[in-house]
Amino acid sequence: LDAKILAPVRQLAGQVNHLLIAPDGQLNLVAFAGLTDEQGQYLIERYLITYLTSGRDLLRLQAPTTPANPPLIVADPVFDQPGQSPIQLASAARGNERSVDLARLTFGRLPATATEAQQISPLLPGSRVFTQAQATETVVKANPNPRILHLATHGFFLKAGATAPGKEGQPGLPVENPLLRSGLALAGFNLRQSGADDGVLTALEVTGLDLRGTQLVVLSACETGLGDVQSGEGVYGLRRAFALAGAQAQVMSLWKVDDEATKNLMVNYYQRLSRGESRGEALRQAQLSLLKTGNYQHPKYWSGFIPSGDWRALGR
């Protein structure tokens, strides 16, 4: 794959050390950092790699930073108990719009996410932390514009459902909005009770969040970077949804990730951010740290997390 896609790019790029990639179609699902070059070296060892939903993302980088609220951390939700939100919304927008295929989904807890939140919160001064029964969908919706939004839970991605018949042999279009087929599981998910909501935060609902001023969204979850792939249109999933909501940058995963390895990666990442490292380079160095360990050298542990959007240092 590297020989087909990036080797020709390297011939043109020369000695650059930062690649900005706006992938199309199935390339949205490729972890480029885990590919190897002609010398068998992982690309992450050679480049900082940043994903863009399109080249137009570069224009957004010129916009001034909007004032934001303190960081928000939502982690370790309990899925088999009703979510108990200390915050109530007047109404749950789009709360009844769900893919029928979601009825089959249930999740188990991710124990390491509790430790993850515990270790990250001191690195984010003033952060608000909601865990277990309080890690609800309502909490996420009721806290607009957090400077950093960290969600440590399960993500889901449902493959494309039924399509309407196409004309003259052309492929049919989906009958269901693709943004209903990916999302995050929060407290009460298995019971569909999460504060004033049902614990299912779909990508469609994410587009309705107010994340203007949010400098970084980290989804410490499984398969959050996926969505229905449409050639020429990118990924209609959480990656695009958070960008539409106003988030400047995102870190999310392309496949099911190891709970303990992810906790180590995330703590390292935030330690580096707190020291002033840029959003992109801090993730790269945290991934390189896992690569150098004995237990987590395989790219399945570290390369699935991809950075999208603004790679520069966080604003103050």
Side-chain angles (χ1 to χ4, degrees), residues 77-88 129-139 186-189 191-199:
V78 289
F79 303 113
D80 292 321
Q81 300 175 24
Q84 300 173 0
S85 178
I87 300 171
Q88 297 298 325
V129 182
F130 296 89
T131 61
Q132 298 186 16
Q134 292 192 349
T136 63
E137 181 183 358
T138 305
V139 160
L186 292 159
F189 178 90
L191 304 177
R192 303 301 191 262
Q193 298 177 42
S194 183
D197 296 279
D198 60 5

Side-chain angles (χ1 to χ4, degrees), residues 31-84:
F32 288 97
L35 301 182
T36 53
D37 63 15
E38 298 86 350
Q39 288 75 44
Q41 185 179 35
Y42 290 117
L43 297 193
I44 194 174
E45 299 178 90
R46 185 171 176 177
Y47 301 108
L48 168 61
I49 298 174
T50 302
Y51 289 69
L52 304 172
T53 57
S54 76
R56 292 188 299 274
D57 286 3
L58 297 175
L59 297 176
R60 297 175 58 203
L61 302 182
Q62 302 174 27
T65 300
T66 304
N69 291 316
L72 176 65
I73 300 173
V74 179
D76 187 30
V78 289
F79 303 113
D80 292 321
Q81 300 175 24
Q84 300 173 0

Side-chain angles (χ1 to χ4, degrees), residues 250-266:
Q250 307 165 42
V251 171
M252 49 183 55
S253 62
L254 292 176
W255 55 69
K256 291 182 173 63
V257 288
D258 181 86
D259 194 22
E260 187 68 23
T262 298
K263 184 263 292 182
N264 294 340
L265 175 70
M266 289 299 164

Side-chain angles (χ1 to χ4, degrees), residues 111-197:
T113 63
T115 306
E116 181 179 316
Q118 201 173 49
Q119 295 183 9
I120 287 173
S121 58
L123 301 172
L124 298 174
S127 60
R128 298 156 295 164
V129 182
F130 296 89
T131 61
Q132 298 186 16
Q134 292 192 349
T136 63
E137 181 183 358
T138 305
V139 160
V140 177
K141 291 179 176 179
N143 284 278
N145 317 109
R147 180 170 173 263
I148 294 175
L149 175 60
H150 184 92
L151 300 172
T153 183
H154 286 289
F156 63 85
F157 161 60
L158 302 173
K159 293 184 179 180
T163 58
K167 294 182 179 180
E168 300 177 358
Q170 297 298 315
L173 296 174
V175 297
E176 183 176 55
N177 189 332
L179 292 176
L180 292 174
R181 304 188 68 81
S182 58
L184 297 168
L186 292 159
F189 178 90
N190 293 347
L191 304 177
R192 303 301 191 262
Q193 298 177 42
S194 183
D197 296 279

Side-chain angles (χ1 to χ4, degrees), residues 6-23:
L6 287 182
V9 174
R10 283 195 292 273
Q11 295 176 11
L12 297 172
Q15 299 303 309
V16 301
N17 55 18
H18 185 189
L19 299 179
L20 301 172
I21 301 177

